[in-house]
Amino acid sequence: MYLLAPNIELLFTEAGDYHDRVRAAAASGFTAVEMWGPTGVDAPATPKDIPALKAALEETGVQLTAQLAEPRTQFMIPPWDHTEFFRKLDEGVDIASELGTPRLVVGSGTGFGGWKRQVQLDKLIEIYQKAIAQIDGSGVTLVLEPVNVRVDHPGSLLDRTAEAVYVARGVDSPDFGVLYDIYHSAVEGEDMAAELENAGDVIKYVQLADAPGRGEPGTGSLDWAERFGILRASGYDGPIGLEYYPQTASEESVRLIREVAAAA
């Protein structure tokens, strides 16, 4: 069975603060959760009480599968000063190590109209090669997320899974890979089976939401038994983040996806 990790920015918010959401997820039978940025900088989130969060994770035995790297950086927009990204990267890795998080999610930022797309993809490779060298030996993996530009992230440079795969192969490190988000890929009209076949083992993390709408599985038009069949056939057997906006109470919203994951 796939390990499902509810996103505690969006799910189990009924419980209150983030550490209490971890406990609520554990009480519902989950052994993993994910979250967005740990400090709330450049993210629509309240800054976390890291000691309280750590205590809740240790108390429940729940694993934090992923968190965002902060700040979200516009890598391609002049004046191309990435100092703060690299400075905060060390802080993010320290927090990840404290919380036992094996992955930091990174992005591409907005594309720059003054450069050819290929130039920008190659610049991303350079940036993330430097980042990987900086955190070498930390045990933390960086996962690059392509996002849809049609609905949620207009202007983002990376909106195609294949281009994120190109960057990951260019970085060429076991500590760098791609976050494949089933929702973003579906919104962009991608063929999931073809994308995963092309990506191979550079897929290091998966997230999901239904499409359209970005609600829980069952609220959109995706066939989840089919999607999980494709995922299983691709060879991916890692955790899956539940990053959706629940349309019902959290515990009810996970019912269908838990059934599908159990059968996959």
Side-chain angles (χ1 to χ4, degrees):
M1 179 177 173
Y2 279 108
L3 178 67
L4 301 180
N7 187 299
I8 57 173
E9 310 287 343
L10 306 175
L11 292 169
F12 298 102
T13 58
E14 303 94 335
D17 211 336
Y18 293 99
H19 46 274
D20 291 321
R21 297 175 197 181
V22 170
R23 294 185 177 94
S28 293
F30 289 100
T31 58
V33 296
E34 64 170 26
M35 70 180 188
W36 290 342
T39 68
V41 177
D42 285 351
T46 303
K48 277 81 168 174
D49 182 336
I50 299 300
L53 189 55
K54 180 180 180 181
L57 292 168
E58 291 178 345
E59 170 193 318
T60 59
V62 167
Q63 179 192 8
L64 186 62
T65 58
Q67 64 192 55
L68 294 182
E70 296 175 334
R72 286 301 185 107
T73 303
Q74 297 294 357
F75 294 109
M76 299 304 144
I77 304 300
W80 303 295
D81 180 3
H82 307 143
T83 305
E84 188 67 0
F85 169 75
F86 287 108
R87 185 183 72 80
K88 295 287 287 187
L89 181 60
D90 285 333
E91 293 181 21
V93 166
D94 287 344
I95 293 172
S97 297
E98 184 176 358
L99 297 178
T101 316
R103 301 169 192 83
L104 286 182
V105 179
V106 294
S108 66
T110 303
F112 176 50
W115 283 345
K116 290 183 178 180
R117 190 175 188 86
Q118 187 63 50
V119 170
Q120 296 180 73
L121 296 177
D122 290 339
K123 287 289 183 183
L124 272 186
I125 291 173
E126 293 177 14
I127 289 164
Y128 282 122
Q129 284 177 331
K130 180 179 177 181
I132 286 297
Q134 179 173 311
I135 66 171
D136 183 48
S138 68
V140 173
T141 296
L142 301 185
V143 289
L144 177 63
E145 181 179 20
V147 293
N148 82 78
V149 296
R150 299 184 183 186
V151 177
D152 299 277
H153 300 279
S156 178
L157 173 60
L158 275 186
D159 61 339
R160 313 303 301 172
T161 300
E163 290 185 334
V165 170
Y166 170 83
V167 173
R169 289 186 173 140
V171 174
D172 191 24
S173 167
D175 299 322
F176 191 88
V178 172
L179 189 172
Y180 180 76
D181 188 306
I182 295 172
Y183 164 77
H184 288 305
S185 183
V187 171
E188 284 296 321
E190 294 184 335
D191 181 323
M192 180 175 173
E195 298 298 338
L196 293 181
E197 182 178 7
N198 174 61
D201 62 3
V202 303
I203 301 295
K204 299 291 180 83
Y205 195 55
V206 170
Q207 290 178 326
L208 64 76
D210 214 332
R214 207 170 183 178
E216 63 264 32
T219 58
S221 61
L222 300 184
D223 182 331
W224 286 99
E226 176 189 42
R227 298 278 162 163
F228 267 69
I230 293 170
L231 192 62
R232 183 65 77 186
S234 77
Y236 181 79
D237 61 0
I240 301 174
L242 308 183
E243 191 192 34
Y244 60 75
Y245 292 86
Q247 306 302 299
T248 58
S250 296
E251 194 144 1
E252 176 60 28
S253 77
V254 300
R255 187 183 306 275
L256 173 62
I257 199 60
R258 293 179 99 167
E259 292 174 358
V260 173

